[in-house]
Amino acid sequence: MTEREKMLSGARYDPGDPELADARNACKALCQQFNQLAYRDMEAACAALNQALPHAGQGFWMEPPFWCDYGWNLTAGKNLYMNHGCVVLDAGGVTFGDNVQVGPLCGFHTSGHPLDAEERARGLEYAYPIHVGSSVWIGAGVQVMPGVTIGDGAVIAGGSVVTRDIPAGVLAAGVPCRPIRPITEADRMLP
Protein backbone atom coordinates (compact mmCIF):
# COMPACT_ATOMS: atom_id res chain seq x y z
CA MET A 1 0.00 0.00 0.00
CA THR A 2 1.10 3.56 -0.64
CA GLU A 3 1.22 5.99 2.28
CA ARG A 4 -1.87 7.71 0.85
CA GLU A 5 -3.73 4.39 0.73
CA LYS A 6 -2.70 3.67 4.31
CA MET A 7 -3.88 7.14 5.38
CA LEU A 8 -7.27 6.71 3.71
CA SER A 9 -7.74 3.23 5.21
CA GLY A 10 -7.12 4.33 8.82
CA ALA A 11 -3.79 2.50 9.05
CA ARG A 12 -0.67 4.15 10.40
CA TYR A 13 1.09 6.11 7.71
CA ASP A 14 4.06 8.40 7.20
CA PRO A 15 2.84 12.00 6.63
CA GLY A 16 6.34 12.87 5.41
CA ASP A 17 5.80 10.80 2.28
CA PRO A 18 6.63 13.03 -0.72
CA GLU A 19 3.23 12.51 -2.41
CA LEU A 20 1.38 13.51 0.77
CA ALA A 21 3.74 16.39 1.53
CA ASP A 22 3.31 17.77 -1.99
CA ALA A 23 -0.48 17.50 -1.73
CA ARG A 24 -0.51 19.32 1.64
CA ASN A 25 1.81 22.03 0.36
CA ALA A 26 -0.36 22.62 -2.71
CA CYS A 27 -3.51 22.87 -0.59
CA LYS A 28 -1.88 25.17 1.96
CA ALA A 29 -0.66 27.44 -0.84
CA LEU A 30 -4.26 27.73 -2.08
CA CYS A 31 -5.50 28.40 1.46
CA GLN A 32 -2.86 31.09 1.88
CA GLN A 33 -3.87 32.63 -1.43
CA PHE A 34 -7.54 32.62 -0.35
CA ASN A 35 -6.70 34.10 3.06
CA GLN A 36 -4.66 36.92 1.52
CA LEU A 37 -7.11 37.77 -1.27
CA ALA A 38 -10.46 37.53 0.52
CA TYR A 39 -12.24 40.89 0.66
CA ARG A 40 -9.65 42.47 -1.69
CA ASP A 41 -10.15 40.37 -4.82
CA MET A 42 -13.16 38.16 -4.18
CA GLU A 43 -13.08 36.55 -7.63
CA ALA A 44 -9.49 35.35 -7.19
CA ALA A 45 -10.14 34.36 -3.55
CA CYS A 46 -13.17 32.27 -4.54
CA ALA A 47 -11.20 30.65 -7.35
CA ALA A 48 -8.46 29.62 -4.90
CA LEU A 49 -11.00 28.30 -2.38
CA ASN A 50 -12.89 26.35 -5.06
CA GLN A 51 -9.63 24.84 -6.27
CA ALA A 52 -8.61 23.91 -2.71
CA LEU A 53 -12.02 22.33 -1.96
CA PRO A 54 -13.19 20.55 -5.12
CA HIS A 55 -15.88 18.55 -3.27
CA ALA A 56 -17.60 21.41 -1.47
CA GLY A 57 -21.25 21.94 -2.35
CA GLN A 58 -22.98 24.99 -3.65
CA GLY A 59 -23.12 28.07 -1.43
CA PHE A 60 -20.20 27.25 0.88
CA TRP A 61 -18.00 29.92 2.46
CA MET A 62 -15.10 29.98 4.85
CA GLU A 63 -14.20 33.27 6.55
CA PRO A 64 -10.45 33.80 6.46
CA PRO A 65 -8.19 32.63 7.82
CA PHE A 66 -9.12 29.09 6.86
CA TRP A 67 -6.70 26.17 6.70
CA CYS A 68 -6.95 22.53 5.68
CA ASP A 69 -4.43 19.81 4.87
CA TYR A 70 -5.55 18.27 1.58
CA GLY A 71 -8.86 19.84 0.54
CA TRP A 72 -9.76 16.96 -1.76
CA ASN A 73 -10.62 14.92 1.35
CA LEU A 74 -13.21 17.44 2.59
CA THR A 75 -16.73 16.91 1.28
CA ALA A 76 -19.56 19.33 1.97
CA GLY A 77 -23.20 19.56 1.06
CA LYS A 78 -24.73 22.89 0.18
CA ASN A 79 -24.55 25.99 2.37
CA LEU A 80 -21.60 25.13 4.62
CA TYR A 81 -20.48 28.24 6.53
CA MET A 82 -17.32 28.41 8.65
CA ASN A 83 -16.48 31.51 10.63
CA HIS A 84 -12.95 32.94 11.08
CA GLY A 85 -10.02 30.80 12.11
CA CYS A 86 -11.26 27.30 11.35
CA VAL A 87 -8.84 24.44 10.70
CA VAL A 88 -9.73 21.15 8.98
CA LEU A 89 -7.10 18.39 9.20
CA ASP A 90 -8.79 16.22 6.58
CA ALA A 91 -6.34 13.32 6.22
CA GLY A 92 -9.03 10.83 7.29
CA GLY A 93 -11.80 12.62 5.41
CA VAL A 94 -14.24 15.18 6.75
CA THR A 95 -17.84 15.19 5.52
CA PHE A 96 -20.34 17.97 6.22
CA GLY A 97 -24.03 17.68 5.36
CA ASP A 98 -26.22 20.51 4.08
CA ASN A 99 -26.79 23.77 5.99
CA VAL A 100 -23.99 23.37 8.52
CA GLN A 101 -22.85 26.43 10.49
CA VAL A 102 -19.48 26.45 12.23
CA GLY A 103 -18.43 29.16 14.70
CA PRO A 104 -15.01 30.80 14.81
CA LEU A 105 -11.83 29.05 15.91
CA CYS A 106 -13.15 25.53 15.44
CA GLY A 107 -11.05 22.53 14.50
CA PHE A 108 -11.85 19.22 12.83
CA HIS A 109 -8.93 16.91 13.47
CA THR A 110 -8.93 13.52 11.75
CA SER A 111 -5.23 12.95 12.41
CA GLY A 112 -3.81 11.51 15.58
CA HIS A 113 -0.57 10.07 16.85
CA PRO A 114 0.17 6.69 18.43
CA LEU A 115 0.25 6.49 22.21
CA ASP A 116 3.51 4.55 22.03
CA ALA A 117 6.47 6.97 22.19
CA GLU A 118 8.62 4.90 19.82
CA GLU A 119 5.90 4.90 17.16
CA ARG A 120 5.47 8.67 17.56
CA ALA A 121 9.24 9.13 17.26
CA ARG A 122 9.07 7.33 13.90
CA GLY A 123 6.72 10.10 12.76
CA LEU A 124 3.73 7.86 12.16
CA GLU A 125 0.13 9.09 12.29
CA TYR A 126 -3.33 7.65 11.85
CA ALA A 127 -6.43 9.36 10.49
CA TYR A 128 -10.08 8.48 11.15
CA PRO A 129 -12.97 10.17 9.34
CA ILE A 130 -15.25 12.82 10.81
CA HIS A 131 -18.91 13.04 9.73
CA VAL A 132 -21.08 16.07 10.49
CA GLY A 133 -24.75 15.68 9.57
CA SER A 134 -27.06 18.24 8.00
CA SER A 135 -28.43 21.29 9.82
CA VAL A 136 -25.77 21.10 12.54
CA TRP A 137 -24.64 24.19 14.43
CA ILE A 138 -21.17 24.06 15.97
CA GLY A 139 -20.39 26.88 18.42
CA ALA A 140 -17.20 28.88 18.75
CA GLY A 141 -14.01 27.11 19.72
CA VAL A 142 -15.31 23.56 19.33
CA GLN A 143 -12.70 20.87 18.63
CA VAL A 144 -13.85 17.66 16.91
CA MET A 145 -11.51 14.68 17.28
CA PRO A 146 -10.75 11.72 14.97
CA GLY A 147 -13.50 9.24 14.17
CA VAL A 148 -16.46 11.30 15.45
CA THR A 149 -19.94 11.46 13.90
CA ILE A 150 -22.31 14.31 14.76
CA GLY A 151 -25.94 13.58 13.90
CA ASP A 152 -28.35 15.74 11.90
CA GLY A 153 -29.75 18.77 13.66
CA ALA A 154 -27.38 18.58 16.63
CA VAL A 155 -26.06 21.71 18.32
CA ILE A 156 -22.59 21.60 19.85
CA ALA A 157 -22.07 24.31 22.49
CA GLY A 158 -19.06 26.59 22.22
CA GLY A 159 -15.82 25.38 23.76
CA SER A 160 -16.75 21.70 23.61
CA VAL A 161 -14.27 18.96 22.76
CA VAL A 162 -16.09 16.23 20.84
CA THR A 163 -14.38 12.89 21.43
CA ARG A 164 -17.41 10.60 20.93
CA ASP A 165 -20.34 10.37 18.54
CA ILE A 166 -23.19 12.80 19.19
CA PRO A 167 -26.72 11.68 18.23
CA ALA A 168 -29.07 13.66 16.00
CA GLY A 169 -31.30 16.36 17.40
CA VAL A 170 -29.55 17.05 20.71
CA LEU A 171 -27.83 19.93 22.43
CA ALA A 172 -24.39 18.69 23.45
CA ALA A 173 -21.71 20.42 25.50
CA GLY A 174 -18.63 19.94 27.61
CA VAL A 175 -15.13 18.58 27.80
CA PRO A 176 -15.56 15.86 26.83
CA CYS A 177 -18.72 16.77 24.91
CA ARG A 178 -21.85 14.80 25.81
CA PRO A 179 -25.56 15.13 25.00
CA ILE A 180 -27.34 17.46 27.45
CA ARG A 181 -30.92 17.22 26.21
CA PRO A 182 -33.02 16.81 23.08
CA ILE A 183 -33.81 19.87 21.02
CA THR A 184 -37.61 20.28 21.18
CA GLU A 185 -40.39 22.41 19.70
CA ALA A 186 -40.08 24.71 22.73
CA ASP A 187 -36.61 25.66 21.47
CA ARG A 188 -38.19 27.29 18.41
CA MET A 189 -39.47 30.09 20.64
CA LEU A 190 -36.12 30.85 22.28
CA PRO A 191 -33.92 33.68 20.99
Side-chain angles (χ1 to χ4, degrees):
M1 289 176 80
T2 66
E3 295 304 310
R4 179 178 170 154
E5 290 168 336
K6 290 177 190 176
M7 178 182 82
L8 296 174
S9 74
R12 289 185 182 171
Y13 67 96
D14 177 5
D17 173 73
E19 177 191 6
L20 294 177
D22 288 348
R24 278 193 316 277
N25 291 339
C27 184
K28 288 181 189 305
L30 290 168
C31 288
Q32 182 175 18
Q33 185 178 4
F34 164 73
N35 292 332
Q36 291 177 340
L37 293 173
Y39 309 117
R40 288 188 294 147
D41 183 345
M42 290 303 283
E43 187 174 328
C46 289
L49 189 58
N50 282 317
Q51 189 176 350
L53 305 174
H55 304 295
Q58 192 172 34
F60 76 94
W61 182 250
M62 281 64 171
E63 298 287 352
F66 167 77
W67 295 99
C68 65
D69 275 346
Y70 297 99
W72 47 259
N73 216 9
L74 185 159
T75 303
K78 60 186 178 192
N79 303 321
L80 168 63
Y81 174 79
M82 287 189 172
N83 213 317
H84 297 284
C86 287
V87 173
V88 180
L89 304 182
D90 61 331
V94 179
T95 303
F96 296 95
D98 295 335
N99 305 309
V100 174
Q101 295 177 323
V102 179
L105 303 174
C106 289
F108 299 84
H109 313 286
T110 66
S111 299
H113 302 278
L115 293 177
D116 181 74
E118 290 179 23
E119 290 288 296
R120 281 194 314 275
R122 290 180 45 211
L124 298 179
E125 292 182 357
Y126 61 85
Y128 302 146
I130 293 172
H131 299 279
V132 178
S134 292
S135 301
V136 171
W137 175 25
I138 297 176
V142 169
Q143 303 300 310
V144 181
M145 298 297 121
V148 166
T149 295
I150 299 172
D152 292 346
V155 174
I156 309 298
S160 296
V161 177
V162 186
T163 60
R164 293 176 280 206
D165 291 352
I166 301 296
V170 300
L171 169 64
V175 179
C177 188
R178 60 179 172 54
I180 302 298
R181 64 174 179 84
I183 297 171
T184 66
E185 280 297 313
D187 292 313
R188 287 180 180 249
M189 305 308 291
L190 296 174

